Each structure stands twice: as structure tokens, then as C-alpha cells.
Amino acid sequence: KITYTAALVPGEKKGNRMLFLFLFCLALLFFDSKQPHAVDKYFSLCIPPPNVTGTLHLGHALTVAIEDALARWRRMQGYKVLWLPGCDHAGIATQSVVERKLMREQGQCRQDYSREEFLKQVWRWKNEKGDEIYYQLRKLGASLDWSRACFTMDPGFSSAVTEAFIRLCDSGLIYRSEGLVNWSCALESAISDIEVDSKELSGRTLLSVPGYEQKVEFGIMVTFAYPLEGQQGEVAVSTTRPETMLGDVAIAIHPDDTRYKDLHGKHCRHPFTERLLPIVTDSMVDMAFGTGAVKVTPAHDHTDFLLSQRHSLPSLTVIGGNGIMTSDCGQWLEGVKRFDARERVITALMERKLFRGKKEHPMSLPICSRSGDVIEPLLKKQWFVRCQEMSRKAVEEGDLQIIPHFYTKMWKSWLSNISDWCISRQLWWGHQIPAYRVTLENSKDTEEQWVWGRSAAEARQRAAVKFGVNPDAITLTQDPDVLDTWFSSGLFPFAMLGWPQQTEDLKQFYPNSILETGSDLIFFWVARMVMLGRELTGQLPFKQVLFHSLVRDKYGRKMSKSLGNVIDPLDVISGVSSERLQEKVREGNLDPRESIVAMEAQKKDFPKGIPECGTDALRFALCSYKAQGEDVSLSVSHVLSCRHFCNKMWQTVRFTLATLHDASLPTSLAETYPLSSMDRWICSRLHSTVQQCERGFESYELHTVTSALHSFWLHSLCDVYLESIKPVLKERQVAASVLYHSVSISLALLSPFMPFLTEELWQRLLPYTDSDGTSRSLCVQPYPKTSQLEHWCFPKEEADFSLVEEVVRVARLLRAQCQLTKERPDCERTSSFWRIHRLSSSTYGQCCRGGGSLPLLTSQRSGNAELLMTLSLSVNLQNGINADKQRALLSQRREKLASKLKQALACTQKPNYTEKVPDKVRKDTENKVGTEENGQMHFTKNCTYHISHKMK
């Protein structure tokens, strides 16, 4: 079902059954890549797959608005367009949502179910909630090819994931190894490096940690001592994680540290376990950190793990995957949560008189971006992808164009320093790893043996060949872990087209023409797609990458559910009450404390809810921001202004229809030649607007396109042209044709941004067209080109018309300043021409100060001379205003100008001003002084402005 949600239009029904049916037919007929009208040109892209159980926010809406505008633009240019829809199974996010739901509704956790039973619960949740994303996309007007909608857990896609894993294993790019991974105790799963956020702490900080009722203290350096073995003395060490000291296996010092030169090769005794800890020397130790001696805990620190490998030190895990201290700590700590154990360890050190103090310490705290948990480095056997060779190919591949270009340096730097990628996750929801642990009959080998296969039968055959045994003598156990979600989504551009089979879609639409996504996914998704695509298909998955920036709230804050500033696009489209906004927060999965904060923030930002704005207004507002390189700070008030623009469009078309109803059919575009100056001006303005649209779309600067269209329709077409032709429309048939084509072409230009409203309005104009009727939808009309409007290009009229615009602007300014918004005072105009040589700044200043007027002098040289036209516009104020009141107002303005002038002059009189102040700043200040000297206001019975204009 596709619903019609255009701008609010006075007097019009929002629901239109026939239009529903019409737009549904459009989705079936025109959004398919096999459009019969298309030529042999292709444009393909895939939507960044949103989480299937989530809902779209304004960041997604920006993605949809940009991608749909590009897809519709190319479709109107005659390309065969394929815009692929899909949803990601989102392993961590979806499993977490379902686990919280089961705990809230049934008081049960995942472990209370078998794996099969739990997965049934997830699929049930997916089937209930999974279509909400597609509903939102349709409400946003996304012209996706819905016949190809794909889910990353669909059978076909799952087969592609398995195939990719097998091929990468066979080529040696995937391997299994024990390594130190980033572990989330809240998720009880490993996560990748780029899913770890660094929270910078300046000192002591209390933070909320999942699983703890009270906040936990961080940013504290604790110092304690290890007694030397066999002699008097001790070695003091400093750490921000004293709970890990139960896993210490050595103490490291710098070989050049003179404080410890007598301790090389000695040992300390662990006060709680009685283990001997060797004192090793290593140049990687920072002598300035703490006491200069560091504890070595290989199983819980990345740096210590590397150090332990160089010195052949053992590893001892003292914190379990659930964040509970293990039995290796002793009975006094076994079963205690890690941050509670921290306090017990400090207390025990004090009792043994080994505690040496603590102090605030700036630090970087690793946080799981998925759960908000503090990351615990743990030693685990996992599956890894070797990334160095793949990333080298990605960097050296010169055909990938990154837009904006300033991301290229970041891209190359990250890929050049990439580490291996841990792809196994300790979850139940996802693609179970197609690898099997092999157990052989009568084998006493305790080492793990693994094989992989597209099925258990294939894995059994591979094992039989590898170990030279009968297949019946083999027992296989599939790895219970699943693959990282980003591994499957990294296959998206080609797996959705049928890979590994060589389908027709794959031949036609791969590589994709472009990838458009948020800049925050450059490493999560884009880099992985490039590496996997290059390795598995031999080609880059796309030719261009277009990044847009983050959408923030009106205060510039990143949108977060806990801040209460996440906005559902449907709430902007259809409107929502403040009560319903509060209900949504309560219905969510936020912590109760976060819910209170979020609801308070909502009350402040949306005390009356969000007014109904419509799809077209939202899309136009999103595309009107400069999305490349600058964060988008979206406010609902801006969307409302776009809604008003939509209403203006409706009113303009209504006026046009009334004009056409009283006149004969307009002539064709090719036969419409403007005669009057006003007609020639508006035609030339439209030609310039089409040119701006062409340039903006080609460079993906959509904000320049929307700005040009908004300016043309609102300021040129409505404010000027319509007002000027109203008295003469009945006598001028050409004007009616010019108006019709101006409106019709503008609707086509706006169509990629406002598909609903432009389609509705264009259909109303359709009876007046001269076409053969073969194309009945605006979305497949040819996009306007400047080549069609060459006979409408009149640059001289367009340039000279600025004088008319300036006269109107000044007249309105005079009326506003004199508060004559309702009266129509008498106006007088006088004009004269000057031909002068090289107008100097001093001459300009004298002109400005002469006669108490405000001249606006512009000129263009012709040889050594300039032709100027000066026009005086006088407004008779004798009977229209209170003169005394106006004098008082103008006196206040003059005082403000005098104050500003005084401040500007004071800057120029400072000692060594010329030497210290840069040229640009000095010029700006001089211009400011000149402006304020010329800005004196005088009030008489006749208020006069002098306007000067260049004549070509």
C-alpha cells in the first residue's frame, strides 16, 4: 500500500483513493529496472539496509531523500534504474531487543530456551515488526524496486554468505586463532575494533554500566606494591584496573630505567596467589607512566598480550565472559562482578599494607557502541579475516571516487593500518558459521581440528580427505557462533543481484553506479564492501561513494534515544501530539532513568507535539541542507517553511489552471517565443534555473538544486512574474503559454524531491499538454534540459532586470520602515544617466553623503568609461504616518549606527594597527566604516532613495 502524503493543501482531501491506486501502479510499472521506455544506460545503487526490527529516524530519511532524488533524476533521464531495497538481520540489535522483550513479558532470559526455541521467538518478532521499515520507506516515497526486496537471512542471501566464507577459508584469508578480542560482558560476545567507542575522561568520573545499579568510578590511578621474593623491598605498580591484578603474570620495567637496574631478572611474590612474578625488561614500557613499573596481564590487555608473546609469558583469564571473576582468583573473589571486585581488591591491599594511594588520572575508556558496556579484553579462540592484502588492493585501486574528496585521506590512512577482523559472534541470531570441529575415532590429539563446507555432508567429505579416514569415522560439531552482521552486509551489492550465480542482473547492474550513505559507515560498511567485493568478484562493488554527514538536532547534538531527540520521520509527515511522543519513549527499551531524561527533553523541544508537514516538505527540507562535509542540524520549523512552499506551489498551479481555462490551449514549448520584457525575463530565469539544476545534480550538490528551484518558484515566478502579468493576461496569449510551460517545467524539475505533490499538480495540467499521451506519469517524463530552452535564454534582460527588482525591494523597504504596510502612498520617480571615468572610492563616498540619500551604485566599464543610471524613488508620507514617531525611531537607528561606527573607528586607531592586523581584516574593517558612514538616515515629508544601475 502506498499512501499519498503530500503537503497540506487548504480545501483538498488528504486521502485520494484514485491516487493511491495510481501511485501503486507507478511502483509496479516505473520503479522496476526493466522499464520499457528506458534506453541502454544503467544506474544502480542499493539502500544501506536498516535494521529489520528497528524504525527509521531522520538520518535514514536523509539517505532516502538523497538516493531517491538521484534515482528519480536518472529515471527521468531515460536510464534503466535499479534501486535495491533490503533489510539487515542486525544480529546484536535484534537479539537484544527480543531478549529484553522476553524478560519484560515472561521473566525469562535466552538461556531458558533451547537455541531452536529462541530463534522461533526472533522470527516471530521479525514477522510482526519487520514490515514497519518498508512501510516507512513507502511513506517517504522511495521509488525502490520492491520486487527485489531482500532480507539478509533469506535463503538465497544466506547461501551467498556461506559461499563467501568457504571461498575466503579456501584462499587462506579466513583463519581460526586464539587472540585478545574486544568483549562485551553485557552481550557476552566479541565485537570488532570499529564497534568500540573511546570515551575520554579528564579524571574521576562516575558512569552507568549495564548490570550495575550504582554508578561505577573510573579515571582513578591506583598504586600498590608487590613484595620482592627472597629479599627486602618491593616494586610499586600503578593501574586503572586493579581488579585484573589477579591475572598478573609478570612485572615489566624499561631496561634503561636506573631506578630498577638492580632488579633485572628478579621476582616478586603475588600477595593473594603466591605466584612468582618475573621482572622483565622491555623498551615499550613508558618510564613516565605511574611508577615506571607496570603489571603484565596478558589475558586482559592488548599491550600486555603483545609483551607476553615477546617474553613467552603465560596468560591467565580471571574475568569470565559474563563479567564475573573466575575460580582462578580464589574463593574470596570467585563469582563477584568485576567492578565490585575492584573495591574488594583495594580493601584487601590495604589490609596487607600494600596499598600506596590513588589519584585522578585522565584516560580513554573503551565502550561497546552496541550495548554501552565497558569493553573487557578477553583471550578467545575466534575466526578472523586477514585484511592487510585485501586493504592494500582497495587502496591501490584507483577507480574508486570518494565524494567529498577530503574523506580520501582518512580512507587510505585507515585501510593502510588495518588489523585483522574478528568475524565470529557468540550469538544465536545470525548466519551460523559453516565450520565444523572434527573428532576422529580413537584419536588422542587434543588440538582443535576444523573443516568447513557448504553443508555438513561437504564438510564430512573434506575432513575425510584432509585426515585420510573413512567419512563414517568422523564426528562433526558445527561452531555455535554466528558471523558478524557486517560480514553479510558487506556482500550486499552483489549478493542481492544473485551472486555467486552469474545472473543477468549481476551482468547489467554490477558494479553499482554509486553508493550513497552516511559518513559514519565509512569503516563499518563501506571499507568491508570494497574489500569483499574486490576479493570475491574481482571488481569494485561501486564506482563512486557519496557520503553525507550526520543529522543532528537543532542544537547540534547527535540524535540519541536517551536524549529524547530522535525523531520518527512519520511523526513529521503526519504530525504527532506531545502525549504520543511521551508514550513512544515509555514503550521503548530505554532504561527507566534514561526514559525520564528523554521525556523531559521532549517536553522542552516539542511542548505542543510536531505539526503535520507532509512527505514532500520533509524530503525537500532534508535535501536543502549542504549534506557533504557539514552536519545537518534539522529543525521542524525549517520543514514547516517547506510545507508553506508546497502550499504556494498549489496556489500557483490553481492560478495557472484558471488562466488556461479562460484561454486557448498553450502553444508547444518549441513554438513559444516570449515577446515582452517580462516574458523574456522569466523565460531566461527558467533557463538559468535548469542550468543550475543540471550542474547541481551532476556534482551531487542537491542543496544547490533545491535552492535554485525554491528561489525561482517563490521569488521570480510568484513574487514578480505572476504579479506583473495579472492585469494583461487576457490580452496576451503568449503570457499564458509562458506561464504554463514555466510551471510545467518547474514541476518536472522538482519531481525528484517532491514526487507526491508534483505528480498531483502535473496530472491537473496534463489536459493542456500537446503530448501524444503515451507518457502519463511525471516520474518518467524527460528531465528538463537547457538544450530544450536555448530559445529562452536572454542574459541581457535577466541582468538588466535587477534594476526592477531593486526598485521593488526599495519600495517595500520604504513602506516597511515607515510602517505603511496597509497604505499605498504616492510614489514619484526621476532618472538620469551619467557617463563617468573610473568612479573612485572618494567620489563614491561623496555621492553617498550628498543630499541625505542612500544610493546603490553599481557599474560596468566600457573601455575607460562607465554608464550609470540613477533613479530616485520618493514616497509621499504627508498623510500616512506619525512624523514625530518616525523621527524618534530614526534617531534611535542613527544612534545605533553612530555607536557601531565609533567601535569600528576605535579598532583602526589602535597602536601598530597597520602592522599587526592582516590585510583582509583591515579591508573588512574599512568597508564596515564606510558602510556605517553612509548609513545615516534622514526623515522628511518625502522619503527618497537614489538607486543607480549599470547599463550594458
Side-chain angles (χ1 to χ4, degrees):
K1 179 184 178 182
I2 299 182
T3 55
Y4 172 56
T5 49
L8 294 180
V9 180
E12 288 294 319
K13 294 180 180 179
K14 290 185 289 181
N16 186 320
R17 187 178 301 274
M18 292 303 294
L19 192 59
F20 291 164
L21 178 61
F22 177 72
L23 292 175
F24 182 72
C25 291
L26 291 187
L28 297 179
L29 295 175
F30 301 134
F31 303 161
D32 191 298
S33 61
K34 299 180 178 64
Q35 302 102 332
H37 65 281
V39 296
D40 194 24
K41 293 188 291 185
Y42 300 90
F43 182 76
S44 58
L45 70 163
C46 60
I47 194 169
N51 292 355
V52 68
T53 56
T55 55
L56 298 184
H57 52 67
L58 286 179
H60 296 113
L62 175 62
T63 300
V64 171
I66 293 173
E67 292 184 11
D68 193 44
L70 296 177
R72 288 177 180 273
W73 168 59
R74 286 301 191 195
R75 194 177 290 116
M76 293 176 76
Q77 288 187 319
Y79 282 64
K80 290 182 179 178
V81 174
L82 176 59
W83 185 21
L84 289 166
C87 278
D88 192 273
H89 65 277
I92 292 175
T94 302
Q95 181 165 308
S96 298
V97 167
V98 175
E99 286 191 77
R100 287 196 294 268
K101 176 178 179 289
L102 293 174
M103 179 58 67
R104 183 174 63 250
E105 295 178 358
Q106 302 178 21
Q108 293 179 313
C109 62
R110 170 168 53 108
Q111 289 74 15
D112 294 327
Y113 298 82
S114 68
R115 182 171 186 146
E116 291 71 21
E117 290 171 339
F118 179 76
L119 291 179
K120 286 181 181 179
Q121 294 284 345
V122 180
W123 276 108
R124 185 179 295 117
W125 171 265
K126 184 266 175 188
N127 292 331
E128 290 174 358
K129 302 292 184 181
D131 288 340
E132 187 170 347
I133 290 288
Y134 288 165
Y135 172 72
Q136 287 181 299
L137 289 173
R138 286 187 169 98
K139 290 277 282 187
L140 283 166
S143 59
L144 292 149
D145 185 348
W146 294 105
S147 66
R148 287 177 167 84
C150 176
F151 178 47
T152 52
M153 290 288 285
D154 285 343
F157 202 101
S158 296
S159 297
V161 173
T162 299
E163 182 67 25
F165 183 88
I166 300 303
R167 291 191 185 188
L168 293 173
C169 282
D170 288 343
S171 63
L173 289 173
I174 288 182
Y175 66 96
R176 184 174 176 83
S177 174
E178 185 176 54
L180 205 63
V181 298
N182 298 305
W183 188 270
S184 170
C185 297
L187 300 172
E188 294 191 47
S189 175
I191 62 173
S192 65
D193 293 344
I194 57 176
E195 290 172 311
V196 178
D197 296 332
S198 293
K199 188 176 185 66
E200 300 300 325
L201 306 181
S202 59
R204 180 178 181 272
T205 308
L206 295 175
L207 297 175
S208 296
V209 178
Y212 292 81
E213 292 185 4
Q214 302 298 322
K215 290 188 175 183
V216 179
E217 181 183 67
F218 297 95
I220 296 294
M221 175 83 77
V222 173
T223 302
F224 64 92
Y226 275 122
L228 286 168
E229 172 64 15
Q231 66 182 83
Q232 294 293 322
E234 64 183 32
V235 177
V237 297
S238 297
T239 180
T240 58
R241 305 179 65 215
E243 68 276 11
T244 63
M245 61 90 65
L246 278 303
D248 289 354
V249 297
I251 295 171
I253 56 177
H254 196 283
D256 299 332
D257 195 333
T258 57
R259 292 172 293 179
Y260 303 109
K261 63 180 180 179
D262 296 333
L263 300 182
H264 293 192
K266 301 294 179 64
H267 291 78
C268 288
R269 175 76 64 178
H270 198 290
F272 303 129
T273 66
E274 298 299 316
R275 283 195 313 273
L276 287 178
L277 308 180
I279 299 174
V280 300
T281 59
D282 197 291
S283 57
M284 71 180 296
V285 175
D286 182 3
M287 290 186 286
F289 178 80
T291 63
V294 296
K295 56 194 285 297
V296 181
T297 321
H300 297 282
D301 185 271
H302 291 281
T303 304
D304 292 0
F305 181 71
L306 296 175
L307 190 149
S308 70
Q309 291 181 315
R310 286 200 296 274
H311 296 275
S312 301
L313 297 171
S315 297
L316 183 63
T317 299
V318 294
I319 301 176
N322 56 0
I324 303 297
M325 306 302 287
T326 67
S327 58
D328 289 332
C329 302
Q331 292 184 352
W332 67 292
L333 279 182
E334 182 180 1
V336 178
K337 291 195 290 188
R338 53 181 171 155
F339 296 127
D340 293 338
R342 176 179 295 182
E343 300 303 321
R344 294 196 186 189
V345 168
I346 292 175
T347 300
L349 288 170
M350 289 179 175
E351 291 173 353
R352 286 171 169 73
K353 308 211 182 288
L354 297 173
F355 183 75
R356 298 293 178 263
K358 64 179 182 179
K359 62 179 181 179
E360 292 194 33
H361 178 70
M363 64 180 294
S364 180
L365 191 68
I367 302 293
C368 172
S369 64
R370 300 298 180 188
S371 64
D373 191 19
V374 177
I375 291 298
E376 186 65 49
L378 289 183
L379 200 58
K380 296 281 186 179
K381 287 187 176 181
Q382 303 283 291
W383 294 94
F384 294 87
V385 176
R386 303 183 198 276
C387 294
Q388 286 77 12
E389 182 62 21
M390 289 195 294
S391 65
R392 183 188 63 78
K393 292 178 183 178
V395 170
E396 292 176 357
E397 186 66 62
D399 294 337
L400 182 65
Q401 182 185 5
I402 296 177
I403 307 168
H405 66 86
F406 57 76
Y407 284 112
T408 304
K409 183 178 180 181
M410 182 196 307
W411 168 264
K412 291 182 176 179
S413 175
W414 187 81
L415 284 175
S416 299
N417 298 281
I418 195 172
S419 57
D420 286 357
W421 171 19
C422 174
I423 58 171
S424 44
R425 299 289 179 267
Q426 290 62 50
L427 305 172
W428 286 353
W429 173 245
H431 297 104
Q432 191 170 354
I433 295 176
Y436 302 80
R437 186 170 180 176
V438 179
T439 304
L440 303 176
E441 286 184 357
N442 304 320
S443 175
K444 297 181 180 180
D445 191 355
T446 58
E447 286 293 319
E448 289 186 356
Q449 301 289 347
W450 291 85
V451 293
W452 41 86
R454 296 167 183 83
S455 64
E458 180 183 337
R460 187 176 299 279
Q461 289 298 324
R462 284 174 175 251
V465 173
K466 180 177 181 179
F467 299 106
V469 298
N470 189 297
D472 296 334
I474 296 172
T475 301
L476 297 180
T477 305
Q478 187 173 359
D479 192 330
D481 292 349
V482 300
L483 289 166
D484 179 13
T485 299
W486 295 106
F487 182 86
S488 53
S489 61
L491 312 177
F492 210 72
F494 47 95
M496 288 194 71
L497 296 172
W499 183 90
Q501 285 74 35
Q502 292 301 307
T503 63
E504 283 301 315
D505 280 348
L506 198 64
K507 294 174 184 177
Q508 285 188 351
F509 297 108
Y510 187 82
N512 290 173
S513 304
I514 191 172
L515 173 79
E516 195 285 328
T517 189
S519 57
D520 54 330
L521 294 182
I522 184 170
F523 306 129
F524 279 95
W525 190 42
V526 182
R528 285 160 175 174
M529 280 190 289
V530 170
M531 290 191 294
L532 292 174
R534 181 71 178 75
E535 185 64 34
L536 294 170
T537 70
Q539 301 180 78
L540 289 171
F542 25 74
K543 301 168 186 176
Q544 294 178 311
V545 182
L546 174 62
F547 288 119
H548 66 252
S549 299
L550 295 178
V551 178
R552 299 181 179 273
D553 66 10
K554 62 181 180 181
Y555 306 110
R557 300 177 303 178
K558 186 175 180 179
M559 291 194 173
S560 165
K561 290 181 180 179
S562 59
L563 291 176
N565 60 353
V566 173
I567 301 176
D568 184 340
L570 299 192
D571 289 341
V572 181
I573 291 171
S574 303
V576 64
S577 66
S578 58
E579 293 77 16
R580 178 58 187 146
L581 285 173
Q582 300 280 290
E583 287 177 14
K584 284 189 171 186
V585 175
R586 287 192 289 267
E587 291 169 0
N589 290 299
L590 285 179
D591 180 272
R593 291 171 294 184
E594 292 180 328
S595 295
I596 295 173
V597 174
M599 287 192 289
E600 287 299 320
Q602 275 189 350
K603 287 179 183 178
K604 179 182 177 182
D605 291 343
F606 308 110
K608 297 181 180 179
I610 299 175
E612 186 175 6
C613 297
T615 298
D616 293 306
L618 175 60
R619 288 169 54 119
F620 194 80
L622 288 166
C623 290
S624 67
Y625 288 93
K626 184 178 180 181
Q628 296 181 26
E630 298 178 8
D631 286 346
V632 175
S633 295
L634 182 71
S635 65
V636 175
S637 60
H638 180 55
V639 184
L640 274 174
S641 70
C642 293
R643 187 190 81 172
H644 298 149
F645 175 55
C646 292
N647 291 341
K648 192 73 171 180
M649 289 170 59
W650 186 275
Q651 293 161 5
T652 305
V653 172
R654 183 182 293 170
F655 175 83
T656 304
L657 289 169
T659 300
L660 296 173
H661 180 72
D662 297 332
S664 58
L665 286 177
T667 57
S668 67
L669 177 62
E671 296 173 344
T672 301
Y673 290 91
L675 300 176
S676 71
S677 296
M678 284 304 301
D679 291 343
R680 289 159 68 88
W681 171 75
I682 194 65
C683 289
S684 191
R685 280 288 299 118
L686 182 58
H687 177 273
S688 299
T689 302
V690 173
Q691 193 173 57
Q692 288 176 280
C693 292
E694 288 177 337
R695 292 171 180 170
F697 266 120
E698 291 292 346
S699 62
Y700 304 125
E701 295 279 354
L702 299 189
H703 68 284
T704 64
V705 182
T706 56
S707 176
L709 292 171
H710 183 272
S711 176
F712 172 78
W713 191 296
L714 203 61
H715 303 303
S716 299
L717 185 61
C718 294
D719 288 354
V720 178
Y721 184 68
L722 287 185
E723 296 301 322
S724 68
I725 65 171
K726 283 179 180 178
V728 296
L729 263 177
K730 292 184 179 180
E731 293 80 25
R732 284 173 45 195
Q733 175 61 32
V734 174
S737 294
V738 167
L739 175 60
Y740 167 78
H741 290 299
S742 296
V743 172
S744 180
I745 291 171
S746 298
L747 289 174
L749 292 170
L750 282 160
S751 178
F753 305 102
M754 297 180 166
F756 292 113
L757 180 60
T758 55
E759 185 71 54
E760 165 78 7
L761 297 178
W762 188 84
Q763 290 290 330
R764 292 173 182 250
L765 290 174
L766 196 58
Y768 300 94
T769 186
D770 61 343
S771 68
D772 57 6
T774 55
S775 182
R776 308 298 291 180
S777 173
L778 177 58
C779 72
V780 288
Q781 283 290 301
Y783 199 75
K785 297 184 292 186
T786 51
S787 58
Q788 299 172 287
L789 298 171
E790 290 301 332
H791 63 300
W792 276 20
C793 181
F794 305 103
K796 183 179 184 301
E797 279 84 347
E798 193 173 350
D800 287 344
F801 195 77
S802 59
L803 174 62
V804 178
E805 293 179 295
E806 183 67 4
V807 170
V808 174
R809 185 192 69 81
V810 168
R812 289 174 173 172
L813 177 64
L814 285 172
R815 289 181 63 195
Q817 285 184 347
C818 299
Q819 298 180 349
L820 297 176
T821 55
K822 296 182 180 180
E823 294 83 1
R824 292 191 175 183
D826 296 333
C827 294
E828 297 178 1
R829 174 183 61 83
T830 59
S831 61
S832 62
F833 292 91
W834 297 346
R835 185 180 296 277
I836 62 175
H837 291 274
R838 293 184 182 175
L839 189 66
S840 65
S841 59
S842 59
T843 305
Y844 176 80
Q846 293 171 5
C847 293
C848 290
R849 288 187 288 272
S853 60
L854 285 176
L856 300 174
L857 295 175
T858 58
S859 64
Q860 181 167 336
R861 287 178 184 159
S862 175
N864 290 323
E866 296 166 333
L867 186 63
L868 299 178
M869 176 184 179
T870 180
L871 183 147
S872 296
L873 186 67
S874 301
V875 179
N876 191 339
L877 308 176
Q878 289 183 353
N879 301 318
I881 65 169
N882 184 322
D884 293 334
K885 183 178 179 180
Q886 285 299 309
R887 288 193 184 93
L889 288 173
L890 291 172
S891 296
Q892 291 176 5
R893 293 177 190 169
R894 183 161 49 188
E895 289 173 4
K896 288 182 180 179
L897 285 171
S899 176
K900 290 181 179 179
L901 178 61
K902 184 177 180 181
Q903 292 175 5
L905 288 171
C907 292
T908 65
Q909 295 170 358
K910 292 181 180 179
N912 301 322
Y913 171 78
T914 306
E915 293 79 12
K916 291 183 178 180
V917 178
D919 291 342
K920 184 179 184 304
V921 176
R922 282 192 284 110
K923 288 179 181 178
D924 290 344
T925 304
E926 289 169 5
N927 291 336
K928 188 176 180 181
V929 169
T931 299
E932 279 150 8
E933 284 180 342
N934 301 332
Q936 302 176 35
M937 293 191 177
H938 301 272
F939 177 78
T940 63
K941 291 183 179 180
N942 283 68
C943 194
T944 303
Y945 270 48
H946 292 304
I947 304 165
S948 295
H949 183 70
K950 63 186 177 184
M951 302 294 290
K952 294 184 180 178

